[in-house]
Amino acid sequence: MSQFGCCVFQVTMKALYGQQNSPGEEMTFVLQERENLPACRDHDVKVQVRACALSWVDTKLLSEIKLKKELVPVGREISGVVLEVGSKVTFFQPDDEVVGILPLDSEESGVCEIILVHEHYLVHKPEKVCWAEAAGTVRDGLRAYTALHYLAQVSPGTSVLVLDGASPFGTIAIQLAQHRGAKVISTAHSLEDKQYLERLRPAGGVRQPLVARVIDVSHGKIDVAESCLEETGGLGVDIVLDAGVRLYSAEDEPASKSQLLPHKHDIITLLGVGGRWITTERNLQLDPPDSHSLFLKGATVSFLNDEIWNLSNVQQGKYLTILEDIMEKLSNSIFRPQLDEPIPLYEAKVSMEIVQKNQARKRQVIQF
């Protein structure tokens, strides 16, 4: 009972967390009750979450940067409504619609009805963009911008190979590359993916397809390097954006490594002079002959890690500008994400298990 005779009620909410009992073990997920949030600090924004996208939890990265804990908050890409702001918040006010990505060291799970977020991780959500699309596009948009704009400097007339273009990330990367005036080639991992990529069209009713050539690798009979060289008149592609690569020959590769992925030698072969290879393969090994081939072409290899933006405050201004631009492109239908049907909270645990096993072909979004 308070001094004014009013009862103080504790509101309990459920939030999604992951736990890994020992290294190498599969992560398990649990919906846990959590009590009232603490009061807003100076720069905090209290957000009522309307949608949260689910992304793979990189336990190895968390461990390497000493952020591993017993219960890891799950769900970082959120959209919602501002309920309350801290005393020094300047960008937002109550009832604003916002979207953002919670930082790696966040104590908050985005799969929770109400959370606290520092104002520097949020931007305004355009009114015409729905909650699920905002949350479901923001991370793939950030990765695409990091890869194509900052690492590869994509420009009109360049040729871009997007591997596994029908994935949620691949789809946004294709749309951004084509919007920047690039010629896009893509690989498809199934007949369904091939048909999806061939149907992709730019915004505004333009009939010309987004992808100049779709290479179906599902049967393993198509040579990706040969197809790309043929498409570019033997010159090779300017930018390659991979979705992982095979490092060894088929018999030496672990069974878990998809045979749909190209070999690193194929990528080096299909790169043009001055080409840029943007890789998501953190354990990429280049032997001296590989390096020599890249040297002869004056080619570069860059590693795509979209977490870099929040590992240094120096990049904060650029980071927020990217998020704002992603929302603008979503609002103008330049970005049209690959989203599954919105998922209710009670199915979050099962959906996250599918995401963590890399079995989801469309972006999974929890909607409140």
Side-chain angles (χ1 to χ4, degrees), residues 31-197:
L31 274 168
Q32 281 214 343
E33 299 262 329
R34 57 171 296 176
E35 293 184 347
N36 271 354
L37 291 173
C40 274
R41 291 171 300 228
D42 288 349
H43 289 281
D44 279 349
V45 177
K46 185 181 280 189
V47 178
Q48 181 178 8
V49 178
R50 291 295 179 84
C52 177
L54 301 177
S55 293
W56 181 72
V57 178
D58 192 339
T59 51
K60 191 172 181 194
L61 178 63
L62 290 173
S63 183
E64 284 170 349
I65 61 177
K66 307 290 187 281
L67 286 177
K68 195 79 182 290
K69 21 187 188 278
E70 194 178 335
L71 283 177
V72 179
V74 171
R76 292 172 51 207
E77 303 94 79
I78 59 109
S79 61
V81 180
V82 175
L83 296 176
E84 189 185 329
V85 297
S87 59
K88 293 186 180 174
V89 170
T90 53
F91 296 126
F92 306 102
Q93 56 191 27
D95 297 326
D96 281 354
E97 297 184 351
V98 294
V99 59
I101 303 173
L102 304 181
L104 263 178
D105 60 355
S106 173
E107 299 289 332
E108 302 278 353
S109 161
V111 185
C112 185
E113 288 175 46
I114 299 173
I115 61 171
L116 289 178
V117 190
H118 192 288
E119 66 171 330
H120 289 165
Y121 297 116
L122 298 170
V123 294
H124 288 94
K125 179 188 80 66
E127 200 175 324
K128 64 191 280 192
V129 173
C130 75
W131 302 111
E133 283 196 343
T137 309
V138 67
R139 177 177 288 279
D140 290 321
L142 178 65
R143 296 190 81 208
Y145 264 81
T146 307
L148 293 171
H149 184 69
Y150 287 95
L151 296 178
Q153 285 94 44
V154 67
S155 57
T158 53
S159 54
V160 178
L161 170 64
V162 178
L163 293 157
D164 191 15
S167 67
F169 167 55
T171 297
I172 297 296
I174 286 170
Q175 291 165 356
L176 180 61
Q178 197 277 338
H179 180 69
R180 290 281 169 87
K183 174 185 178 178
V184 183
I185 305 166
S186 183
T187 59
H189 286 188
S190 67
L191 179 59
E192 188 183 359
D193 286 356
K194 181 175 185 283
Q195 291 168 343
Y196 167 76
L197 290 169

Side-chain angles (χ1 to χ4, degrees), residues 141-142 145 150 309 318-327:
L142 178 65
Y145 264 81
Y150 287 95
W309 295 103
K318 277 186 189 174
Y319 172 69
L320 292 176
T321 302
I322 294 171
L323 298 194
E324 286 168 352
D325 208 41
I326 292 164
M327 287 302 115

